[in-house]
Amino acid sequence: MGDPVVESMAEVRSHLADVIDRARRDETPTIITRRGRREAVVIDIEEYQRLHRIAEDVEEAWLNRLADEAEAEGTRGAVSLEEMAALLRDNQG
């Protein structure tokens, strides 16, 4: 993956097709800024899917580790479904 290009939203608007082509063909992401703040990134769909799979795998491993720890502790470590959902929300936020 190439080093990201940083462009303002106005610049990206003027040549969005080129930004998408650069992401897809050259594997170069574009960081889009608005009022000087980084707001979004344009990346190739395959890279997005790869990153999404990695995130899902990490989350699954984390949940498996929690389940293994709870099982090792017996009923003292039991967590309700509501508590698990709250843990997930807290971990993602």
Side-chain angles (χ1 to χ4, degrees):
M1 180 180 295
D3 289 335
V5 174
V6 178
E7 294 185 318
S8 71
M9 191 173 303
E11 292 170 322
V12 169
R13 269 192 212 118
S14 70
H15 67 103
L16 180 58
D18 294 332
V19 170
I20 293 170
D21 288 343
R22 182 172 53 215
R24 185 175 36 81
R25 182 185 58 242
D26 302 334
E27 298 180 356
T28 300
T30 299
I31 297 171
I32 302 172
T33 63
R34 182 173 22 192
R35 296 184 193 103
R37 290 185 45 198
R38 293 171 177 220
E39 294 282 333
V41 178
V42 177
I43 59 173
D44 176 64
I45 188 68
E46 290 179 8
E47 179 65 6
Y48 167 79
Q49 291 169 336
R50 185 184 76 79
L51 293 171
H52 188 72
R53 280 191 305 272
I54 290 170
E56 286 179 334
D57 291 347
V58 167
E59 182 177 22
E60 184 177 342
W62 177 73
L63 288 172
N64 286 335
R65 190 178 77 241
L66 280 180
D68 290 345
E69 289 171 4
E71 186 177 338
E73 291 178 13
T75 56
R76 290 179 304 129
V79 176
S80 72
L81 185 57
E82 291 80 15
E83 291 171 320
M84 181 62 74
L87 283 171
L88 285 172
R89 281 193 301 274
D90 291 345
N91 190 46
Q92 291 177 353

